[in-house]
Amino acid sequence: MTTRLAGLLVKEMIQFLRDRVVLMLILWLYTIEVVICTLAVSFDVENMPLAAVDLDQTPMSRALVQDFLVSDTFTLAGAPANVTEATDWLQDGRARVALVVPVGFQRDVTRGEVPAVQILLDGTDSNIAAQARGIALAIVGRFGTTAAEQHGQGGARPVLRVWYNPDGSSTSFTVLSMIALAALMVGVIYPAASIMREKEAGTIEQLRVTPIGTTELFVAKTAPMLVMGLVSVFPSLLIVSWFGVPLRGSLALFLALTAVFLISAIAIGVLIASVSRTLQQALLLSFFGLFPVLFLSGTITPVESMPKLLQTASLVSPLRHYMDVILGVFLKGAGLAELWPQALALVAIGTPLFLVAARIFRRSPAG
């Protein structure tokens, strides 16, 4: 069995490397297309999770927090006890904005002073952060105007700090999201097309009459795709570096979670090939499956802005969790301690997908 499997793996790798069109397509998706889309695409949002750190606990400080929640831009994620806890919430993604109202806020305002109100922003998505920044400044400004009218002078002075992407550039989010999308497309479309091509050529039917088992054939069809999917990530790392996007976390963790993500994508591709009759049908089904996964991932429309039903449905999109991984590793320097929920979700999605794909493939490898 080991010799047969090794032979099949070598055959698949040679076949892959000889397909210049596919190689150029993968290179295009991970490089040129990433560059083009990064330079052309931008995003908008609402309903950002807000961590409200009210250290004053007075009617006036609560009124300021309420002013943030009245708008559609912010929704209350919780009330951390201190700035350190709020920082942890930004780090693990529970909040995208933190509002810190200092001790003595009401006292200083009623005295006619202008106390500082700290606003911490998660800048991994610069367009979202820029919107939140403008609205937060406007809210604090209106609060200061109202306080000045009531007390003669005084108000509040916002002290704004954008975390993880302080210059507010949209490049970081866009280039990373396009790399995630490229990984999904290659992981789904290439396995589906490769298997269907061999179906139509009759190669798989010929393999069925050999001593090769369907399990060995399934492994031979998926393992090289996983390896090549990981190898294909490296050219995109050069693009990331070219755009000046930092890698603050562990490259090894990124590759490991990318492998888990690719298992889900490859399983979807194998499922599509298993139920398709022709290559054209497989490609159409691939795009039919790709679009819902893409739209529910948060790469185009933030998950927080979706209806509640779609927010729940987005939990089954592996791309949503992988986006948290790639943004967390590159921009936040997050490790497994922060990303274990995403890692667990990718495993929970990928494992049953892979097992179902293997079962269907074993039942009808030749369609």
Side-chain angles (χ1 to χ4, degrees):
M1 176 177 177
T2 303
T3 304
R4 293 197 304 267
L5 181 57
L8 279 173
L9 291 172
V10 172
K11 171 254 184 188
E12 290 294 331
M13 291 299 298
I14 293 175
Q15 183 174 320
F16 177 84
L17 295 174
R18 284 179 176 175
D19 195 334
R20 296 182 180 179
V21 174
V22 171
L23 289 174
M24 291 302 299
L25 175 62
I26 293 176
L27 184 62
W28 170 273
L29 287 173
Y30 275 99
T31 55
I32 306 301
E33 184 164 300
V34 170
V35 173
I36 293 174
C37 294
T38 299
L39 296 174
V41 179
S42 61
F43 306 93
D44 296 314
V45 73
E46 60 183 16
N47 292 330
M48 295 185 65
L50 172 75
V53 185
D54 186 357
L55 301 178
D56 196 40
Q57 293 295 323
T58 59
M60 192 169 289
S61 65
R62 287 191 286 269
L64 177 58
V65 173
Q66 189 59 38
D67 284 351
F68 272 78
L69 301 179
V70 167
S71 71
D72 292 333
T73 306
F74 304 104
T75 182
L76 185 64
N82 49 54
V83 178
T84 301
E85 187 176 347
T87 300
D88 293 337
W89 285 30
L90 290 174
Q91 177 77 5
D92 60 25
R94 277 181 287 176
R96 305 289 288 273
V97 183
L99 171 67
V100 183
V101 184
V103 176
F105 175 76
Q106 179 172 286
R107 179 197 62 212
D108 293 342
V109 171
T110 54
R111 287 178 179 177
E113 299 177 5
V114 185
V117 176
Q118 190 174 33
I119 302 168
L120 305 178
L121 296 174
D122 178 350
T124 52
D125 186 333
S126 60
N127 289 286
I128 296 176
Q131 284 193 22
R133 175 184 182 277
I135 295 173
L137 292 176
I139 291 172
V140 176
R142 287 196 301 268
F143 183 89
T145 301
T146 303
E149 292 174 352
Q150 293 176 351
H151 302 285
Q153 56 180 336
R157 174 171 56 89
V159 178
L160 189 68
R161 182 178 179 185
V162 180
W163 284 40
Y164 315 123
N165 187 16
D167 58 358
S169 170
S170 63
T171 300
S172 299
F173 176 82
T174 306
V175 69
L176 293 176
S177 64
M178 292 311 302
I179 290 172
L181 179 58
L184 176 67
M185 293 181 65
V186 171
V188 172
I189 295 177
Y190 180 71
S194 175
I195 293 173
M196 284 309 306
R197 183 175 56 189
E198 294 208 29
K199 275 188 177 183
E200 293 182 342
T203 307
I204 292 183
E205 184 63 33
Q206 293 174 8
L207 290 172
R208 291 184 65 184
V209 300
T210 69
I212 297 173
T214 53
T215 300
E216 296 171 276
L217 185 59
F218 177 77
V219 172
K221 284 294 180 184
T222 55
M225 297 173 190
L226 178 59
V227 173
M228 295 309 301
L230 286 174
V231 172
S232 300
V233 170
F234 287 94
S236 65
L237 296 179
L238 299 178
I239 301 298
V240 169
S241 177
W242 182 59
F243 275 106
V245 179
L247 174 59
R248 296 194 172 105
S250 167
L251 178 60
L253 177 62
F254 168 65
L255 292 175
L257 294 182
T258 297
V260 178
F261 168 70
L262 285 173
I263 288 175
S264 298
I266 292 171
I268 294 173
V270 174
L271 281 171
I272 290 171
S274 299
V275 300
S276 300
R277 298 294 181 181
T278 64
L279 179 59
Q280 182 182 29
Q281 189 179 75
L283 292 176
L284 288 174
L285 285 175
S286 295
F287 283 106
F288 177 79
L290 281 173
F291 281 111
V293 173
L294 170 62
F295 291 136
L296 293 176
S297 68
T299 55
I300 296 178
T301 301
V303 175
E304 295 86 357
S305 300
M306 299 177 187
K308 292 295 183 182
L309 179 61
L310 291 183
Q311 290 187 35
T312 302
S314 71
L315 295 174
V316 301
S317 169
L319 188 58
R320 171 184 174 175
H321 306 290
Y322 186 60
M323 278 300 301
D324 291 338
V325 168
I326 195 170
L327 291 174
V329 171
F330 276 86
L331 299 182
K332 295 183 177 182
L336 192 57
E338 292 82 19
L339 296 176
W340 69 264
Q342 288 78 16
L344 187 61
L346 287 173
V347 172
I349 294 170
T351 301
L353 270 177
F354 200 74
L355 293 176
V356 170
R359 183 178 181 85
I360 294 177
F361 186 85
R362 286 199 300 267
R363 282 184 173 182
S364 182

